[in-house]
Amino acid sequence: MSALSPVLSQPRVLHLTHTYIPKDSRILKQITCLSQNYSVFAIGIGDDDFSPNIPFLSNLRVISLPLLSRNLLSIPRTFRHFLSLLELTYRMLPLALKCKPSVVHCHDTIVLPLGLIVKLLTRSKLIYDAHELESNRNGLNRTQSYLTLLVERFAWN
């Protein structure tokens, strides 16, 4: 069975995040709980201790992808963030479409445009679960905050 081969008898929930899932306890709790009744696929990014595929349960598939744009420290943060968005979309979209989700669950603003594309192409439901509006998050400069708010507002409908 491949890393994304779905269990066809159950609805499929796709989790998308810009974090390393095996170290994100909030996401781990959600996907582990959901995997009791749904087929769950989670796609995140790798960290320095990169481990490509980590299956936990029979109804749960976790894939961590290396993100090359994270290493471009010499370019401005706002531009690097935009490159990360493009790279995430390019790398995650084929995997997201392959699992044919019923529900797409986005944990971060950076994967929200990807979630919206998957929703439109698969006619799935979209959940944006950032726990706060990321445009109000500390650590963003004015430009990043404004662009994040535009993405959030565009996807709200």
Side-chain angles (χ1 to χ4, degrees):
M1 185 183 289
S2 77
L4 282 178
S5 59
V7 178
L8 296 176
S9 62
Q10 296 177 319
R12 292 171 300 284
V13 179
L14 171 65
H15 283 257
L16 299 172
T17 184
H18 182 248
T19 63
Y20 183 57
I21 295 169
K23 291 184 180 176
D24 191 323
S25 63
R26 178 177 56 96
I27 295 175
L28 282 174
K29 288 175 187 175
Q30 288 178 354
I31 63 178
T32 301
C33 180
L34 282 171
S35 69
Q36 295 173 17
N37 296 308
Y38 301 96
S39 203
V40 178
F41 303 90
I43 306 173
I45 62 169
D47 71 352
D48 297 333
D49 303 325
F50 177 68
S51 179
N53 300 317
I54 303 169
F56 293 98
L57 304 167
S58 61
N59 287 344
L60 175 59
R61 309 284 187 289
V62 176
I63 296 178
S64 298
L65 300 171
L67 195 60
L68 304 175
S69 57
R70 285 175 45 176
N71 299 326
L72 301 174
L73 301 176
S74 62
I75 62 174
R77 192 168 85 170
T78 302
F79 188 64
R80 189 171 64 235
H81 197 72
F82 178 71
L83 289 176
S84 293
L85 170 77
L86 293 177
E87 183 181 5
L88 278 171
T89 303
Y90 176 76
R91 308 256 343 262
M92 290 183 176
L93 183 59
L95 297 172
L97 293 175
K98 186 174 180 181
C99 80
K100 299 176 182 150
S102 308
V103 175
V104 179
H105 189 143
C106 296
H107 291 274
D108 321 283
T109 305
I110 195 166
V111 294
L112 189 55
L114 170 63
L116 191 56
I117 292 168
V118 174
K119 173 207 179 328
L120 294 173
L121 293 176
T122 64
R123 297 185 179 148
S124 55
K125 302 290 183 190
L126 177 64
I127 297 172
Y128 176 49
D129 182 23
H131 294 268
E132 63 184 342
L133 291 178
E134 290 204 17
S135 56
N136 294 334
R137 186 170 49 109
N138 288 335
L140 295 180
N141 64 36
R142 186 178 294 181
T143 303
Q144 289 173 314
S145 182
Y146 178 73
L147 293 173
T148 301
L149 181 61
L150 285 178
V151 169
E152 287 175 335
R153 283 190 176 170
F154 178 76
W156 282 344
N157 292 333

